[in-house]
Amino acid sequence: MAGVIATLFRRPGWWRALTYTIIAGAFGLALVVILRKVSGLPAFQTVQTGYPQVVVPAITAPLGFLIGIGCFDYWFRWAIGAPTFPAEREHENHGAYSWRDYFKVNTDHKVIGIQYLVTTFFFFVVGGFLAMLFRAERARRA
């Protein structure tokens, strides 16, 4: 069991990305709270003055996600002087062989293009639906 968990978090993937997102967001929040306490300010601000304790985690959490999903693995290995993976190994799972492969991280430019198109159409439909809801609400009030 411990070996399976260690393998899940050693390789880039969704579980590692989720864990790193939570850890990085908590780190950002703790950093703001500690710095505010050290400087003599209250740890959390009220509604009237805004919420700066949300801004830093809003930056650190996506960075944690990117690190967890594996975007910086090659660069981190290069930066510390560890051997990097040869180009053949990076592209051994190149391309899509089933519809499930379009939901995974992939280095194939055709798969990435299709992922962009599907994401664009999805948000276009969601945006159109929300615009329709807003217009229906305004029409009901008029």
Side-chain angles (χ1 to χ4, degrees), residues 37-80:
K37 283 303 227 181
V38 167
S39 62
L41 297 169
F44 295 99
Q45 287 188 336
T46 60
V47 176
Q48 290 82 15
T49 57
Y51 294 105
Q53 65 267 16
V54 179
V55 174
V56 175
I59 296 169
T60 58
L63 284 175
F65 175 80
L66 290 174
I67 291 170
I69 202 76
C71 290
F72 301 111
D73 283 357
Y74 183 88
W75 185 85
F76 284 152
R77 291 183 67 77
W78 175 82
I80 63 172

